[in-house]
Amino acid sequence: AFPDAAQAFERALSFCPNRAAVLVPLAQTYILMGNEAAAETRLLEALSQDKKNSAALYALGRLYYTQGRYPEGVTHLLRLTE
């Protein structure tokens, strides 16, 4: 089911003008699939469009934290409070 969802989100990116709204759930799907590199790429892309995207900041912070990349994780999670 997750690969199908990821494929649908990837297709939606070509049609959706508000890409951050698609990039974050796509990244979360990649996390569930175990593809952390793709998730990180998509979350960084979402943040490049909107540096204050709380869903992307939270997801990226959690991803980094679970990878043991604590300083990076804390940085993104703290940005939620700004």
Side-chain angles (χ1 to χ4, degrees):
F2 293 130
D4 292 337
Q7 186 178 36
F9 282 126
E10 290 284 0
R11 274 195 315 269
L13 287 175
S14 64
F15 300 108
C16 184
N18 185 1
R19 293 171 45 96
V22 177
L23 287 166
V24 175
L26 172 59
Q28 291 168 330
T29 302
Y30 280 140
I31 290 169
L32 293 170
M33 292 171 57
N35 190 345
E36 294 178 349
E40 180 181 11
T41 298
R42 292 308 193 176
L43 290 168
L44 290 171
E45 190 176 341
L47 288 171
S48 75
Q49 294 175 18
D50 177 7
K51 291 179 172 55
K52 294 184 179 187
N53 184 306
S54 60
L57 287 168
Y58 179 73
L60 191 57
R62 282 197 56 207
L63 176 63
Y64 287 156
Y65 190 82
T66 61
Q67 293 175 335
R69 297 164 64 180
Y70 302 118
E72 292 169 283
V74 168
T75 297
H76 284 84
L77 293 172
L78 286 176
R79 285 178 52 197
L80 288 165
T81 64
E82 295 176 353

